[in-house]
Amino acid sequence: MPLQRRVPKSGFKNINHKEYFAVNLSTLQKLAEEKKLTKIGIAELVAAGLTNGKELVKVLGNGELKAKVDVEANAFSKTAEEAIKAVGGNATII
């Protein structure tokens, strides 16, 4: 049996890959309405039970945001950043 068939195959593992916890705009809207928040950061997401604080958080553009909120997260999608700025809020990368 040739060597390339005897040796097990393994895939590529990117060492620079970052795993994000996804939070949608609809979730931020619910959080802002329930707790009357104008600024949402990692601490508010931990207090709401959405993340444990050790994970990186990325805000995605799924849903609709009506409240003017300032959002702090590790990353934003383009649509989420545009939607936050459209209602008058700020998207700040930590």
Side-chain angles (χ1 to χ4, degrees):
M1 182 85 62
L3 179 66
Q4 69 268 20
R5 291 183 67 190
R6 282 185 280 159
V7 177
K9 295 172 184 66
S10 60
F12 175 75
K13 182 112 174 142
N14 188 355
I15 60 171
N16 296 321
H17 177 72
K18 292 183 181 177
E19 192 70 34
Y20 289 101
F21 176 76
V23 177
N24 288 315
L25 289 177
S26 58
T27 308
L28 295 179
Q29 178 65 33
K30 280 187 210 172
L31 191 62
E33 288 175 356
E34 290 173 1
K35 308 231 178 177
K36 309 281 191 265
L37 297 174
T38 58
K39 181 180 176 188
I40 299 175
I42 303 293
E44 288 80 11
L45 295 174
V46 170
L50 295 175
T51 182
N52 62 6
K54 297 176 185 175
E55 300 171 318
L56 298 174
V57 176
K58 183 172 185 176
V59 178
L60 302 178
N62 190 8
E64 187 176 346
L65 187 65
K66 299 174 187 169
K68 177 183 173 184
V69 292
D70 297 330
V71 183
E72 292 181 351
N74 299 104
F76 293 90
S77 68
K78 286 183 183 179
T79 55
E81 194 169 358
E82 291 169 359
I84 292 170
K85 289 182 180 179
V87 295
N90 290 328
T92 307
I93 297 175
I94 299 175

